[in-house]
Every structure is written in C-alpha cells, then in structure tokens.
Amino acid sequence: MNDIKERILIIEDDQQISRFINYALELEGYSTKAANNAQNGLSILVTEKIDLVLLDLGLPDFDGLEVIKRIREWSEVPIIVISARDADKEKAIALDLGADDFLTKPFSSVELMARIRVAFRHVQRKSALDPRTIFSIGELTLDMEKRLLYRGKEELHLTPLEYQLIIYLFKNIGKVITNQTLLSEIWGHGYGSDTQVLRTLMAGLRRKIEDNPAKPKYIITEIGVGYRLKDE
Ligand code: CA
C-alpha cells in the first residue's frame, strides 16, 4: 500500500455540498482542502501541492469557466467540474477549455469516487506513456498496432473513420469526450460543429459493437455534451 495521500482541492461555495464532498473524500483516504470562492481556490493551487481539483462552476466571485482557463495557463492538474443539471452547454465548454470530467448535481459519493479514479488513472497512463497496444472492455478487444477490433472471437470490420473513433475513445476510456473534440480529432479542425456526421458515424459503430444499439453498454451518450466509453 502506498500511504502518500492524493490531495484534492474542493472549490465550492455551497457549504453543504462542500462538507459532503470533504467527508466522502476523507472516508476514502484522500487528503482535502476546501475553498469557497475562485480567488481562494487559485491561491491554494499556486501555493500547495494539489493532485486534483473539484470545481463548482457557479462561484460568487468569478465564473468557474474562467477558473479553468486560468488553471490551464500553467497547470495540467486534473479538473472535475461540478455543475447544475440542465447546464449541458456549460459542461461542454468546460471540457473544451480543458476540464477532465464533470459531475451533475445531485451526485452520489459512488459517482464522485468513480470520476476521481478515472481522472487519476489517466494521469498515470499519461506519465507512464502506456506501452500497451491491446485494450479490452467487456467482449471488445482492440489491437491498436494491427488496427483490429474483436467482439469475442469475431473480428469486426470497421471503416477507417470508425477505427479512428474507437481508438480515440479507448485512449480516453472512462472520460467524457465532447462532440467538438471528437469532430476535430476525426475530421480535423475547420469541420465546424456539424454533430450530425458524428451521430451517423456513432450509429454505424454502435451497430457493430453493441448487442442493442438503442441501449448501448459500451459507448454512453452524455446528452448535449458528448460520449464516454465505459471502463467497467
Ligand atoms: Ca455554487
């Protein structure tokens, strides 16, 4: 067991939510810091070692989106945004500005911990420069080197764009990826925001990998935001 506790900074002005998060994190063995506005949060971040930030978007002094921009000018610390329901557009902007994931209020401590584990696993993979070329979830196995995707023992025949899509999702397994990011990763910048082409591509891929494309178990739609390849 390693006993170096990861330090998590909570920037949230709602005291009740802040205390709930704090309690849940300490139960899991994380060490915590809390700030009730953006200014405080940023000053803790520059003076102390912080491994992950939980950021509420509605803060009293300035906008949470502005906080993400400022943090990303100098730090790659994982940021998980906490946002209100019905704030899909805001969530997508937050992710495109460099946030790693989001939680929608109200959320359970189980969801909170799952998001945090995904974010930390990503940091580890990035720093280890993951040498693996074979990835699997459920019945799916992706061989990145040979560019082959299997469902059980059956080899699936994907189009080049479907490969690009599934490879990108596997590289970011567990994380939500915005429509905008997927569009520019797959079609390149300048493709604009034509999410219809993405939906069509996704539908084709789901027909090949899902038992029931209408109730996908691998690629989950985050309504109004993007998609997430489930990691468990
Ligand atoms: Ca708030």
Side-chain angles (χ1 to χ4, degrees):
M1 285 294 288
N2 85 56
D3 51 4
I4 302 165
K5 291 182 183 174
E6 279 118 343
R7 286 172 62 89
I8 298 179
L9 171 63
I10 308 154
I11 309 178
E12 164 67 88
D13 60 319
D14 182 321
Q15 288 307 300
Q16 222 176 327
I17 296 176
S18 181
R19 273 199 298 268
F20 156 73
I21 295 174
N22 210 66
Y23 178 73
L25 292 178
E26 284 179 351
L27 266 182
E28 287 290 313
Y30 292 114
S31 138
T32 60
K33 266 274 165 183
N36 58 8
N37 63 44
Q39 295 284 7
N40 271 343
L42 287 168
S43 67
I44 291 172
L45 203 52
V46 292
T47 51
E48 300 186 30
K49 189 189 171 305
I50 297 294
D51 300 301
L52 184 141
V53 178
L54 291 168
L55 173 68
D56 175 32
L57 288 183
L59 293 167
D61 48 351
F62 56 94
D63 197 87
L65 296 174
E66 184 59 31
V67 178
I68 299 170
K69 261 191 242 168
R70 296 205 189 176
I71 295 175
R72 282 293 173 261
E73 282 167 10
W74 57 275
S75 167
E76 288 187 33
V77 65
I79 301 171
I80 299 175
V81 155
I82 300 167
S83 78
R85 201 167 286 286
D86 308 325
D88 295 343
K89 202 168 172 204
E90 204 179 42
K91 288 175 201 163
I93 296 171
L95 293 165
D96 286 332
L97 284 174
D100 294 83
D101 212 332
F102 64 80
L103 280 157
T104 305
K105 291 177 189 176
F107 52 85
S108 67
S109 59
V110 174
E111 279 175 90
L112 172 67
M113 294 312 154
R115 294 284 182 271
I116 290 174
R117 278 195 301 273
V118 166
F120 280 136
R121 272 205 295 274
H122 260 269
V123 173
Q124 279 170 352
R125 281 190 200 131
K126 255 203 267 178
S127 62
L129 289 172
D130 201 336
R132 280 181 311 157
T133 55
I134 294 178
F135 298 83
S136 53
I137 49 162
E139 285 191 314
L140 297 181
T141 305
L142 174 71
D143 184 331
M144 247 188 242
E145 217 158 62
K146 295 187 181 140
R147 287 175 72 87
L148 295 174
L149 181 70
Y150 296 91
R151 182 171 155 188
K153 290 202 183 337
E154 179 201 358
E155 186 191 328
L156 301 177
H157 297 281
L158 303 189
T159 67
L161 287 181
E162 287 168 351
Y163 265 116
Q164 254 176 283
L165 177 57
I166 195 76
I167 286 173
Y168 192 79
L169 290 171
F170 262 103
K171 282 184 176 164
N172 292 283
I173 192 163
K175 277 178 73 170
V176 58
I177 311 295
T178 63
N179 295 326
Q180 202 52 56
T181 299
L182 286 171
L183 281 168
S184 58
E185 281 295 326
I186 293 163
W187 285 275
H189 289 284
Y191 209 84
S193 51
D194 182 3
T195 52
Q196 185 52 45
V197 294
L198 180 59
R199 275 200 295 275
T200 306
L201 181 64
M202 189 62 76
L205 179 60
R206 276 175 169 159
R207 273 197 297 277
K208 293 174 186 176
I209 66 171
E210 302 280 0
D211 293 330
N212 179 359
K215 284 194 183 139
K217 62 176 182 180
Y218 295 116
I219 303 174
I220 306 305
T221 301
E222 297 282 359
I223 294 162
V225 179
Y227 299 91
R228 184 195 303 270
L229 181 63
K230 275 193 111 171
D231 75 336
E232 55 220 8

